[in-house]
Structure formats: structure tokens, C-alpha cells
């Protein structure tokens, strides 16, 4: 029987997950307690108490039958500081900011301590990974992500893929599904399905599928070798198409797409793609917008296989601002279909790039607000553009030292 003692709700603290073993306290975060007497009162179960001179001390719990007990409290200010990097239309996403910390303790597909258990919980959670936990999390089925979640993999190399024991002809397994949710943040994750036929026009699994959702921020993530796409955002599904609900206010920033036939199919409103990279065998759709509005800015797009590397369809509007295009064998950019519109604004070319169209009228209010909510590098000379390209390819930012840089 677990004999862990409860902590008074009156004590407001900020901490990571704490683990307590017999006669030993392991602290992964810092807790500020009003008095050390409370700690002494909690230390009746044979656990040592070691207080810092500055008044901060670890929480102490009885160890219980397993010799280990745990407590998850609020995210630390250091953890929450990542929210300062939010930008674009998804900048209001809060994830698990107002919830408790959940620590992924293993790479299991399901069960206690798994990523799935954290993401499929109905509670608000800021999800982190145990010290020295790195490697592949292999899923047997899609994870149905619930609202108010942050997955914060800074300092770790976590790769998410589907079970490779499945029949390779089975292309219908998507890793993460966000259907009918709000406030989800993903940071520093790798989505690598190791699918051999990624360079064909497949229909099937995406790394992430978003429907009927809003306020989502995907930051410093890596997408490669999925049967279909990296991130699919859809408001309609099925044959004949059925409306599944609105999708709006999504930002994808400082992320990388490579070895994917079609990177992103987006069907929603107020969507942002910024400071990201599409190269190394990305054929098209970086992004493709259908019947909604998207802002693409400061991205590096290289060696594409089809002019639909930027694509607007069925009244969709794409505002393409200050991106870098470096051509390979295919030099044309922009595909428009069924009244799709693309507006080009100060994009930069390396090599022989031919933009088809690009002077379409895109909603002026959307353009103005997109400029206001994005952190756009306004380069005006070759040196600035070269520096921006290098920053994008190196995965510039606080996560570069985390062992999972771009």
C-alpha cells in the first residue's frame, strides 16, 4: 500500500516530478516552502531531508511498498519561459501551462509512465522526460491527444514512429491525432517513421493529423519518411467529404521536413508556417492551403520536385513573405487551382527560380495581422539572407544544444 502523504493545497509551488527512494531524495526541480518545519513533519517514513541554505528544499514523501513515490506539481518558470518563443497565429496556445508536470519514465507504447498515458489523460499536463531517457517510442496505434497538453522534449532525443512490425502495405496509422482539442504544444520531437516508399504519392498515414481544433503550436520538431505527409490539417474527411469542424490558430515554427513526398496539406484558417525548412527530397506542399488562409514566412525551401511546393486551392489564400527558395532541377514555384490565391512579398531566390503569379489579392486584414503576430526577419541584403539560411539549417534557438538540433 502506498502511504504517500498529501501536500496542503495552500502551498503553491513550481516543480518538476519528484522521486523518493528509501533514505534518499532525488530532486529534479526546486520547491520553495514557507518553513522547513513542514518538511520535518513530512519526513516520518524514513526519508532523508536535505534543505538548501537559501530556503529551498525538496519535498519528502514516504516510499511505500515499492520503495518509490512520486508527486507532480506545477511547471517551473524555467519551463514556462519557452512560451516567450510563441509566434504566428498559434501564439495563444498555452498547452499544459496551468496543469501539473507529468514525467515520461519509459519508452513503452502504453501503461504507467508512458507518453501515451500523459497525452491521453483528460488533465492539463506539461509532459517532460526522465533524465537520460532518449530513443524511439514505437506506437502500436495512434495516440489521441487531449486538450491542454505540452510535450517538452528539450534536452532529449525522442523519436516517434509506428510499429515497424506492421505490414508495410498498411499506411493508415497516424502517430498523433488532435481531433476536437484546444491548447496543444509540441517541442523538440522527431517524427521518423522510416517508411521506405516515402517518395511516392501515397495516401495514408501522417505524422500528425489535426481536425476540429484550435490554438496549437508545433516548435522545433522534425518530420521525415511518412507514407503521406508530415502535418495534415483538415476540416473535411471521407467520401463524400463530411465537415468535421473548424481548425484555426495553428503555428509551426523552427521545424524541419525532409524525405516526405508532400509535407503539409492544410485546410483551415489562421495558420502559420515560420522559420522552418523543407528540403532533402520534399516534393511538394510546403504548404498547400485549401479553402482557408495561411502565412508562410522566413522558411528555407530547396530542391523541390513540383511547382506545387507552394499551393493554394478552392479559394485558399497563401501569404508568402520573405522566404528563401533555392532551386534544383525544378525551378518553377506556385500552383493555384479553383480560385486559389498566392501573394508573394519580398521572397529571396538562390539559383534559377521562376515564380508563377504571386500578385493575387489576399485578404488585407489577414495580411496585416499576420505581419503583426509573426517574428519576421526582414532581410534586405545578401549577407542577411545567407545568415538566415544558416540559422534555419542549424536549428537556431535554445534547443540547438539539446542533441536534437535541425
Amino acid at each position: 500500500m502506498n502511504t504517500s502523504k498529501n501536500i496542503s493545497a495552500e502551498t503553491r509551488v513550481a516543480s518538476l516530478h519528484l522521486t523518493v527512494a528509501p533514505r534518499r531524495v532525488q530532486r529534479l526541480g526546486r520547491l520553495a516552502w514557507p518553513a522547513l518545519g513542514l518538511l520535518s513533519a513530512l519526513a516520518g517514513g524514513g526519508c532523508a531531508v536535505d534543505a538548501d541554505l537559501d530556503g529551498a528544499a525538496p519535498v519528502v514523501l514516504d516510499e511505500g511498498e515499492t520503495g518509490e513515490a512520486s508527486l507532480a506539481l506545477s511547471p517551473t518558470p524555467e519551463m514556462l519561459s519557452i512560451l516567450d518563443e510563441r509566434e504566428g497565429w498559434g501564439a495563444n496556445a498555452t498547452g499544459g501551462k496551468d496543469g501539473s508536470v507529468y514525467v515520461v519514465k519509459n519508452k513503452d507504447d502504453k501503461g504507467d509512465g508512458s507518453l501515451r498515458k500523459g497525452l491521453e489523460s483528460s488533465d492539463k499536463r506539461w509532459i517532460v522526460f526522465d533524465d537520460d531517457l532518449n530513443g524511439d517510442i514505437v506506437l502500436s496505434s495512434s495516440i489521441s491527444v487531449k486538450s491542454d497538453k505540452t510535450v517538452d522534449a528539450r534536452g532529449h532525443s525522442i523519436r516517434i514512429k509506428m510499429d515497424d512490425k506492421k505490414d508495410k502495405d498498411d499506411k493508415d496509422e497516424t502517430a498523433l491525432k488532435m481531433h476536437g482539442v484546444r491548447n496543444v504544444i509540441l517541442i523538440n520531437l522527431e517524427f521518423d517513421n522510416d517508411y521506405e516508399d516515402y517518395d511516392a504519392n501515397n495516401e495514408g498515414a501522417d505524422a500528425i493529423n489535426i481536425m476540429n481544433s484550435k490554438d496549437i503550436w508545433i516548435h522545433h520538431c522534425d518530420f521525415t519518411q511518412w507514407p503521406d505527409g508530415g502535418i495534415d490539417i483538415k476540416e473535411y474527411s471521407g467520401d463524400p467529404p463530411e465537415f468535421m469542424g473548424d481548425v484555426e490558430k495553428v503555428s509551426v515554427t523552427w521545424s524541419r521536413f525532409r524525405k516526405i513526398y508532400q509535407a503539409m496539406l492544410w485546410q483551415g484558417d489562421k495558420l502559420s508556417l515560420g522559420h522552418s525548412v523543407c528540403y532533402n527530397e520534399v516534393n511538394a506542399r510546403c504548404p498547400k492551403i485549401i479553402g482557408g488562409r495561411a502565412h508562410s514566412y522566413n522558411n528555407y525551401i530547396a530542391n523541390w520536385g513540383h511547382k506545387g511546393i507552394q499551393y493554394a486551392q478552392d479559394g485558399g489564400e497563401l501569404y508568402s513573405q520573405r522566404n528563401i527558395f533555392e532551386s534544383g532541377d525544378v525551378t518553377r514555384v506556385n500552383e493555384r487551382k479553383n480560385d486559389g490565391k498566392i501573394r508573394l512579398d519580398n521572397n529571396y531566390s538562390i539559383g534559377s527560380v521562376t515564380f508563377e503569379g504571386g500578385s493575387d489579392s489576399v485578404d488585407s486584414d489577414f495580411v496585416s495581422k499576420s505581419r503583426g503576430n509573426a517574428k519576421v526577419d526582414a532581410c534586405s541584403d545578401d549577407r542577411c539572407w545567407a545568415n538566415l539560411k544558416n540559422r534555419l539549417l542549424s536549428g537556431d534557438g535554445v534547443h540547438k544544444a539539446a542533441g536534437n538540433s535541425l
Side-chain angles (χ1 to χ4, degrees):
M1 178 177 179
N2 193 314
T3 57
S4 299
K5 294 184 173 66
N6 293 326
I7 306 300
S8 170
E10 297 177 357
T11 304
R12 296 293 296 170
V13 297
S15 176
L16 290 174
H17 192 92
L18 301 172
T19 299
V20 179
R23 305 300 304 171
R24 178 173 173 266
V25 176
Q26 178 185 1
R27 181 177 46 161
L28 301 180
R30 294 177 64 81
L31 300 172
W33 295 99
L36 296 181
L38 176 60
L39 293 172
S40 299
L42 291 171
C47 295
V49 178
D50 181 19
D52 292 339
L53 294 177
D54 61 5
V59 168
V60 181
L61 300 175
D62 291 344
E63 61 267 22
E65 286 184 344
T66 64
E68 188 172 282
S70 61
L71 173 69
L73 298 175
S74 303
T76 64
E78 291 80 9
M79 295 166 65
L80 295 178
S81 66
I82 189 67
L83 299 179
D84 294 339
E85 298 185 23
R86 291 173 298 178
E87 60 178 300
W89 286 102
N92 290 327
T94 55
K97 171 180 175 291
D98 298 320
S100 61
V101 171
Y102 173 91
V103 178
V104 178
K105 306 285 288 185
N106 55 60
K107 294 179 284 186
D108 296 347
D109 173 38
K110 60 186 67 175
D112 290 344
S114 68
L115 176 63
R116 182 187 297 274
K117 185 165 184 178
L119 281 172
E120 292 187 345
S121 166
S122 60
D123 297 329
K124 297 180 180 180
R125 285 184 166 173
W126 193 285
I127 298 170
V128 297
F129 294 83
D130 206 356
D131 282 0
D132 302 322
L133 182 65
N134 297 286
D136 293 354
I137 296 178
V138 182
L139 306 177
S140 61
S141 61
S142 302
I143 292 179
S144 296
V145 180
K146 298 296 191 294
S147 295
D148 304 305
K149 298 294 185 295
T150 296
V151 181
D152 185 352
R154 286 175 290 171
H156 299 267
S157 180
I158 302 296
R159 185 171 74 161
I160 296 174
K161 59 185 299 185
M162 302 308 298
D163 188 351
D164 58 10
K165 294 181 180 178
K166 285 182 173 290
D167 186 339
K168 286 296 184 181
D169 290 332
D170 182 1
K171 309 183 185 73
D172 296 323
E173 290 290 346
T174 291
L176 302 186
K177 292 182 178 179
M178 304 180 197
H179 295 178
V181 302
R182 182 170 183 174
N183 284 321
V184 176
I185 296 174
L186 305 178
I187 305 167
N188 219 56
L189 292 170
E190 300 175 48
F191 295 85
D192 182 354
N193 205 41
D194 198 27
Y195 186 73
E196 294 177 357
D197 299 326
Y198 64 85
D199 55 349
N201 188 13
N202 300 303
E203 293 294 333
D206 311 300
I208 297 174
N209 182 274
I210 302 171
M211 291 185 182
N212 187 28
S213 299
K214 66 185 297 185
D215 295 320
I216 295 170
W217 180 40
I218 299 170
H219 189 48
H220 276 277
C221 290
D222 188 302
F223 301 86
T224 186
Q225 291 187 247
W226 287 83
D228 197 350
I231 302 173
D232 262 26
I233 299 174
K234 292 184 177 179
E235 294 185 335
Y236 290 83
S237 181
D239 187 14
E242 178 183 355
F243 182 65
M244 306 303 293
D246 294 325
V247 179
E248 64 175 3
K249 297 184 178 179
V250 178
S251 288
V252 178
T253 54
W254 290 100
S255 292
R256 176 174 66 176
F257 300 82
R258 57 192 177 89
K259 294 187 177 181
I260 292 183
Y261 191 78
Q262 300 168 143
M264 288 164 278
L265 171 63
W266 288 4
Q267 191 178 54
D269 195 33
K270 300 177 182 177
L271 312 174
S272 299
L273 174 67
H275 289 107
S276 294
V277 174
C278 285
Y279 79 135
N280 191 3
E281 300 184 65
V282 172
N283 182 66
R285 300 183 181 178
C286 189
K288 177 178 181 178
I289 179 70
I290 300 178
R293 296 176 296 179
H295 181 206
S296 171
Y297 61 94
N298 281 162
N299 300 297
Y300 175 66
I301 302 169
N303 199 27
W304 54 93
H306 189 277
K307 70 175 183 177
I309 195 68
Q310 287 194 147
Y311 200 144
Q313 179 179 326
D314 297 340
E317 298 183 357
L318 177 62
Y319 176 43
S320 175
Q321 182 189 21
R322 297 186 183 275
N323 295 296
I324 302 172
F325 292 88
E326 185 166 2
S327 64
D329 294 337
V330 178
T331 61
R332 294 184 299 163
V333 175
N334 292 342
E335 182 162 355
R336 294 167 293 167
K337 185 178 180 181
N338 296 341
D339 201 32
K341 299 177 181 179
I342 298 176
R343 175 176 170 179
L344 300 176
D345 182 358
N346 288 294
N347 290 289
Y348 183 75
S349 300
I350 302 173
S352 300
V353 179
T354 301
F355 293 100
E356 298 188 0
S359 59
D360 297 331
S361 177
V362 171
D363 182 85
S364 59
D365 184 61
F366 176 77
V367 169
S368 176
K369 290 180 179 178
S370 294
R371 289 172 175 171
N373 63 35
K375 300 173 183 178
V376 180
D377 288 86
C379 288
S380 59
D381 58 69
D382 291 344
R383 178 176 294 182
C384 178
W385 286 112
N387 181 58
L388 175 59
K389 173 185 170 180
N390 290 334
R391 287 172 54 211
L392 294 172
L393 289 174
S394 66
D396 194 19
V398 297
H399 321 301
K400 190 164 57 176
N404 188 26
S405 64
L406 301 185

